[in-house]
């Protein structure tokens, strides 16, 4: 039996936090398929937001596990991972706009591998306009109604529009990695 592929889960270190529901879905779906590593800018602890009855116990259990301590994004070599996953993090676009390390890792994956990015519906208020970034980088941009499930697969890049798209996007990431 071959070893499981490795997946880097990047969470934001921004004060805006990381969606507990999206992270929980992403981590739970990927845990049996990948060896997982979490990372944040500066290796800062993950600050979960939107913790409710359905995620409170999981977040509490997750926070006492060794893998809950993220690596420093600045020390990550993207070539060590077969997949990159960015769950719904309100600060992820801020990190992308200001983190050379995140940009370096994304560039590696966009050109060679795959990643899933769950985008917040309020992206227009963030310092980076996703539509412009994608178009300026030579990509095409599509969107759907704000609360609709919308996942786009373009060769090795999988993007989900919002929280409702998380499970479908992550399942497609798993299928794509399993096909290799």
């Amino acid at each position: 039996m071959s070893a499981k592929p490795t997946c880097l889960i990047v969470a934001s270190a921004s004060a805006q936090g990381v969606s507990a529901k999206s992270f929980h879905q992403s981590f739970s779906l990927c845990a049996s398929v990948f060896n997982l590593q979490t990372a944040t800018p500066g290796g800062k602890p993950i600050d979960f937001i939107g913790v409710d009855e359905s995620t409170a116990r999981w977040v509490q259990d997750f926070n006492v596990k060794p893998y809950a301590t993220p690596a420093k994004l600045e020390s990550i070599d993207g070539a060590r991972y077969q997949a990159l996953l960015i769950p719904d993090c309100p600060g992820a676009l801020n990190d992308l706009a200001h983190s050379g390390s995140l940009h370096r890792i994304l560039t590696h994956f966009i050109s060679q591998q795959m990643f899933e990015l769950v985008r917040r519906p309020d992206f227009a208020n963030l310092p980076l306009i996703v539509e412009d970034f994608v178009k300026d980088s030579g990509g095409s941009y599509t969107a759907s109604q704000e609360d609709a499930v919308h996942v786009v697969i373009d060769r090795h890049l999988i993007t989900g529009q919002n929280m409702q798209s998380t499970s479908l996007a992550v399942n497609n990431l798993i299928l794509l990695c399993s096909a290799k």
Side-chain angles (χ1 to χ4, degrees), residues 87-104:
D88 182 13
C89 305
L93 293 176
N94 185 53
D95 293 341
L96 178 59
H98 298 101
S99 172
S101 298
L102 182 56
H103 181 267
R104 175 182 45 81

Side-chain angles (χ1 to χ4, degrees), residues 80-153:
R80 293 184 46 222
Y81 302 90
Q82 286 74 47
L84 172 65
L85 181 81
I86 304 175
D88 182 13
C89 305
L93 293 176
N94 185 53
D95 293 341
L96 178 59
H98 298 101
S99 172
S101 298
L102 182 56
H103 181 267
R104 175 182 45 81
I105 292 167
L106 283 172
T107 301
H108 168 77
F109 277 92
I110 289 172
S111 63
Q112 297 179 22
Q113 301 291 324
M114 65 217 68
F115 77 95
E116 183 269 346
L117 173 65
V118 179
R119 177 178 59 75
R120 295 208 30 107
D122 62 349
F123 76 97
N125 299 325
L126 297 171
L128 176 70
I129 298 175
V130 174
E131 181 175 1
D132 292 343
F133 176 77
V134 169
K135 288 178 178 178
D136 290 348
S137 299
S140 61
Y141 176 86
T142 65
S144 185
Q145 293 177 343
E146 187 174 302
D147 291 335
V149 173
H150 185 74
V151 173
V152 175
I153 302 170

Side-chain angles (χ1 to χ4, degrees), residues 3 15 29 44 53-54 66 85 89 115 135 158 178:
L29 286 168
K44 294 181 181 174
E53 291 178 11
S54 68
L85 181 81
C89 305
F115 77 95
K135 288 178 178 178
I158 301 167
S178 297

Side-chain angles (χ1 to χ4, degrees), residues 21-92:
K21 185 174 181 177
S22 178
F23 192 92
H24 174 225
Q25 287 177 347
S26 300
F27 194 92
S28 297
L29 286 168
C30 289
S32 65
V33 179
F34 296 104
N35 288 317
L36 298 174
Q37 168 71 56
T38 58
T40 61
K44 294 181 181 174
I46 299 170
D47 183 20
F48 292 106
I49 60 168
V51 177
D52 60 17
E53 291 178 11
S54 68
T55 57
R57 177 66 185 249
W58 186 88
V59 167
Q60 183 179 13
D61 290 345
F62 175 85
N63 282 330
V64 298
K65 303 287 186 191
Y67 47 72
T69 303
K72 290 182 181 179
L73 193 60
E74 298 78 7
S75 67
I76 295 295
D77 175 7
R80 293 184 46 222
Y81 302 90
Q82 286 74 47
L84 172 65
L85 181 81
I86 304 175
D88 182 13
C89 305

Side-chain angles (χ1 to χ4, degrees), residues 150-163:
H150 185 74
V151 173
V152 175
I153 302 170
D154 182 2
R155 294 179 312 218
H156 299 296
L157 175 65
I158 301 167
T159 58
Q161 175 171 302
N162 50 30
M163 175 71 98

